[in-house]
Amino acid sequence: MKNAALLVMDVQHGIVSRVPDADYLPRLIRALDAARTAGVPVMHVVIGFRSGHPETTDRNKAFGALPPGAFTAEDPGAAIHPDVEPRPEEVVITKRRVSAFAGSDLELVLRARGIDHLILTGIATSGVVLSTLRQAADLDYRLTVLADGCVDPDPEVHRVLTEKVFPRQADVVTVDEWASALA
């Protein structure tokens, strides 16, 4: 898959612990293995803040309500889940908002590597995946969403997004379909 990268977004201890789908991480590992075998770059995107959260405001309902110290370097919940731990050559992007592009250097890294096709996975479908897809589409990236490589606390929201909303701007496939196409 030329000029493509797999984005693994917000798969951090403090977020994975809220995922009720026990099969989610094994599916995501299959996607990582397929990408690595095929030579598709893997990029990990994490939410992260400085100590004291100077990047947040109480006007932001999601981030203004975070407890002190959440998703800082001192927070064990901010660490990438060990099942999907980045390899040394894999880039880790820290974002400051919901979209992988907001408050990060993701676009700079993608442009420097000539990447114009993003394969999206992550937690949550209605959060980082939706926000990143919308912004990436506006930036003219080609997009693929691995429907079962994403998960949401609300299964109906996940279904509507992957079956009705995302197909307007992205190819939506399963991890196994994508892995087979790479092989």
Side-chain angles (χ1 to χ4, degrees), residues 30-159:
R30 284 199 309 274
L32 279 163
D33 290 344
R36 290 167 174 161
T37 299
V40 173
V42 175
M43 296 184 185
H44 301 264
V45 178
V46 297
I47 185 73
F49 302 106
R50 293 175 186 88
S51 183
H53 292 183
E55 307 88 353
T56 65
T57 171
D58 58 3
R59 294 184 310 273
N60 183 305
K61 285 186 179 186
F63 299 127
L66 286 173
F71 295 101
T72 62
E74 299 80 28
D75 177 13
I80 294 173
H81 195 280
D83 289 357
V84 297
E85 186 173 345
R87 292 186 175 170
E89 71 276 8
E90 294 173 350
V91 175
V92 177
I93 303 286
T94 300
K95 65 187 179 76
R96 309 291 186 205
R97 290 291 184 267
V98 178
S99 168
F101 290 96
S104 80
D105 60 356
L106 176 60
E107 188 171 16
L108 176 68
V109 171
L110 295 172
R111 299 279 182 214
R113 292 180 170 214
I115 293 169
D116 63 9
H117 182 178
L118 305 179
I119 297 93
L120 305 180
T121 66
I123 308 167
T125 313
S126 62
V128 68
V129 179
L130 172 62
S131 293
T132 301
L133 179 137
R134 292 296 199 189
Q135 193 162 359
D138 281 344
L139 293 169
D140 298 323
Y141 285 93
R142 289 182 298 133
L143 296 164
T144 301
V145 174
L146 303 185
D148 57 345
C150 305
V151 67
D152 198 271
D154 185 330
E156 180 62 10
V157 169
H158 174 83
R159 185 193 69 75

